[in-house]
Amino acid sequence: MTNVVLSNIFVQIFAIGTVITFLLNHFLEFIDFRARLKNGGKLPAELEEYPAAEAFDRKKLATISAYENAKYFLWIPSSLSEFALTLILVFSGFYPWLFNFVCRYTGFPNGFVSTYFCAFLFFIISGIPSSILSIPFDLIEEFSIEKKFGFSKMTFKLWLMDQIKGLLLSFLMGAILIAAVIAILVIFPKSWWIFVVCLLFVFTLVMQIIYPLVIAPIFNKFTPLEDGELKTKISELMQNLGFKSNGIFVMDASKRSGHSNAYFGGFGKSKRIVLYDTLIKQLNTDELVAVLGHELGHYKLHHIIRRFVVMVPVMFALTYLLFRIAQSTSIYTGFGFAFAAVPVESVQFIGFFLANLVAGSFMELLNPITSASSRRDEFQADAFSAKLTGSPDALISGLIKLNSENLSELLPPKLYVFWNYDHPTLLERIRALKALKIK
């Protein structure tokens, strides 16, 4: 028998937000599916003038639609299962039961150590049901869909090792982060929201430094780019921009997947440029330089710093909202928690968890804002690359090849792009680059 109070305002907000988000996502994915049925076999006329677009023959266009449909048909049961599990965990009273269970074995609330282990076990165990639920869908995606369409190079042994490594890393980093958060909640019960945000930003910066040096090599091998025309042109590009890095590396992405990418990561002395080996095989030297020029554009145009600056006040505002919600005894009783003779200050981690649960049910409604900002940055980085290389032609050619190799949709509906795409579509990017060339 659940103790969740259906008339509670926080429970109602959670339920409404969860249902709206679920229905909205299914509506958007359905209109995208309908658009593929209508336009999936068509090659946009704007692409016909580019030699690279010859890859989009009838077979390739059919393969793109089949690939996207396969992912969509897997997403439907996955989404339904996740939606059902979310409601079951809340309305069955699982979370209060779990809290009482871990309390019995940790001696909560007798001191910081018991509070830490209670919170740690609660957060870890609360995430297990959704992790277990995702396993069969992850396996189907990796070994059925990705294999069928020629992307996945995974063996089950490699997949299992990746899962174990990821689990151990999450466990280790989670233990450290939760310890710091619990200490903040205990020491600063009336102002923890300020210090939690500061902690998260510091943690993010530290991860930017250690990820390329420590974490990424656990999963992939990084070798310095060999001397040759490509390295020479990239080095000249970096020198002209005044971009200093710890090196140019090739990642063995083909060990796991045929998908391709390039990025620069790290911070300070750990900053490095990374090219997927699949990308080097798919693009010629000029196209690779143009794609890398796009990535360097994000750096030179200060997109990362600007996002960070914008996120600071947003994070403080959101975390303050979570703090205010966590101070209300109504949210605890609404979700079935009963704390006899225990002040709210002692169970702030539960309030933090519940506040995230409530606010998180509506977070996807912010997608259009973040997506629009990201697409604007991508347009600017494209323009930067075109100016840097002297012409948009190499970037256009590279983008067409990448779109073809990764089986990305050519004509998704505008509403779907508006809501979900953090990159402009291929046609939008080509139009913008052509306009730049005309100017």
Side-chain angles (χ1 to χ4, degrees):
M1 182 69 179
T2 178
N3 293 319
V4 175
V5 182
L6 299 180
S7 60
N8 182 274
I9 183 62
F10 293 111
V11 174
Q12 291 176 349
I13 291 173
F14 161 78
I16 292 171
T18 301
V19 171
I20 288 177
T21 298
F22 172 79
L23 294 176
L24 177 62
N25 282 331
H26 275 266
F27 168 72
L28 291 170
E29 293 297 334
F30 178 71
I31 64 171
D32 189 34
F33 170 67
R34 287 288 301 271
R36 281 196 300 275
L37 293 180
K38 180 180 179 182
N39 302 315
K42 299 178 182 178
L43 177 65
E46 294 172 71
L47 292 180
E48 293 178 356
E49 63 180 278
Y50 299 101
E54 293 177 359
F56 291 111
D57 56 18
R58 184 173 298 179
K59 182 179 178 181
K60 175 58 69 72
L61 293 173
T63 302
I64 291 174
S65 292
Y67 178 57
E68 292 295 333
N69 288 343
K71 292 192 294 182
Y72 173 57
F73 294 145
L74 179 63
W75 175 83
I76 292 174
S78 173
S79 173
L80 287 169
S81 301
E82 184 180 351
F83 174 70
L85 178 64
T86 299
L87 296 182
I88 289 171
L89 292 178
V90 169
F91 292 105
S92 68
F94 171 76
Y95 294 122
W97 171 85
L98 175 60
F99 175 74
N100 293 328
F101 174 79
V102 296
C103 280
R104 287 197 297 269
Y105 290 94
T106 58
F108 177 83
N110 299 319
F112 174 79
V113 174
S114 66
T115 301
Y116 168 72
F117 280 109
C118 182
F120 180 73
L121 290 175
F122 179 83
F123 285 130
I124 293 297
I125 298 175
S126 65
I128 290 178
S130 60
S131 297
I132 293 175
L133 180 67
S134 69
I135 290 175
F137 297 107
D138 291 342
L139 286 169
I140 293 172
E141 181 178 14
E142 187 66 49
F143 294 102
S144 179
I145 297 176
E146 294 294 307
K147 285 261 184 210
K148 177 181 177 181
F149 290 92
F151 289 120
S152 177
K153 307 298 188 293
M154 280 279 199
T155 63
F156 181 75
K157 179 181 178 181
L158 181 58
W159 180 87
L160 185 60
M161 290 302 297
D162 280 354
Q163 300 303 308
I164 293 173
K165 291 176 184 177
L167 183 64
L168 291 175
L169 282 170
S170 297
F171 190 85
L172 175 62
M173 291 186 291
I176 296 172
L177 193 58
I178 290 173
V181 170
I182 294 303
I184 290 172
L185 296 179
V186 171
I187 299 172
F188 306 102
K190 298 296 185 181
S191 57
W192 56 256
W193 61 279
I194 300 174
F195 300 98
V196 165
V197 175
C198 294
L199 170 67
L200 292 177
F201 281 124
V202 170
F203 182 78
T204 301
L205 290 176
V206 171
M207 288 301 297
Q208 285 287 321
I209 296 172
I210 68 173
Y211 178 81
L213 300 178
V214 179
I215 298 177
I218 294 175
F219 295 92
N220 290 97
K221 183 179 179 180
F222 295 82
T223 56
L225 180 64
E226 295 180 355
D227 292 337
E229 181 186 14
L230 178 59
K231 185 175 182 179
T232 300
K233 287 194 173 184
I234 293 176
S235 298
E236 290 175 354
L237 194 71
M238 293 165 53
Q239 186 175 3
N240 291 337
L241 291 175
F243 181 88
K244 297 180 180 179
S245 77
N246 194 35
I248 307 168
F249 295 86
V250 179
M251 188 181 88
D252 62 339
S254 58
K255 180 180 179 181
R256 290 173 172 79
S257 173
H259 291 293
S260 53
N261 198 5
Y263 68 91
F264 74 87
F267 184 77
K269 293 184 178 180
S270 70
K271 188 164 56 181
R272 56 174 55 184
I273 291 174
V274 176
L275 304 172
Y276 285 23
D277 58 353
T278 48
L279 185 72
I280 294 177
K281 294 175 182 177
Q282 293 168 1
L283 305 185
N284 63 40
T285 299
D286 289 338
E287 291 164 347
L288 278 165
V289 171
V291 169
L292 190 58
H294 168 96
E295 298 301 327
L296 292 173
H298 287 304
Y299 167 77
K300 293 299 291 185
L301 297 172
H302 310 296
H303 289 158
I304 298 172
I305 294 176
R306 188 176 65 198
R307 290 179 191 178
F308 184 84
V309 170
V310 170
M311 284 304 298
V312 169
V314 172
M315 284 294 294
F316 273 111
L318 288 176
T319 309
Y320 178 72
L321 175 63
L322 298 181
F323 168 77
R324 296 303 304 173
I325 294 174
Q327 305 310 303
S328 172
T329 56
S330 177
I331 194 172
Y332 300 94
T333 56
F335 283 94
F337 287 84
F339 305 113
V342 178
V344 171
E345 288 79 6
S346 300
V347 289
Q348 289 283 288
F349 65 91
I350 294 294
F352 187 58
F353 173 82
L354 294 176
N356 272 283
L357 196 67
V358 173
S361 65
F362 279 98
M363 280 301 168
E364 283 199 44
L365 300 183
L366 300 178
N367 271 9
I369 299 174
T370 56
S371 295
S373 175
S374 178
R375 290 194 301 271
R376 178 198 61 200
D377 290 349
E378 296 301 323
F379 279 127
Q380 292 178 356
D382 280 352
F384 181 89
S385 176
K387 293 177 182 178
L388 186 66
T389 57
S391 171
D393 292 338
L395 182 58
I396 290 174
S397 178
L399 291 174
I400 291 173
K401 288 182 181 179
L402 289 176
N403 199 101
S404 173
E405 293 292 339
N406 289 300
L407 298 181
S408 300
E409 286 187 87
L410 291 175
L411 294 168
K414 291 183 180 180
L415 179 59
Y416 189 83
V417 172
F418 168 76
W419 202 275
N420 286 327
Y421 272 42
D422 57 6
H423 280 58
T425 65
L426 176 63
L427 289 181
E428 287 174 332
R429 297 176 77 170
I430 290 176
R431 288 167 188 160
L433 286 167
K434 286 179 67 176
L436 184 67
K437 185 176 182 178
I438 293 172
K439 289 180 181 179

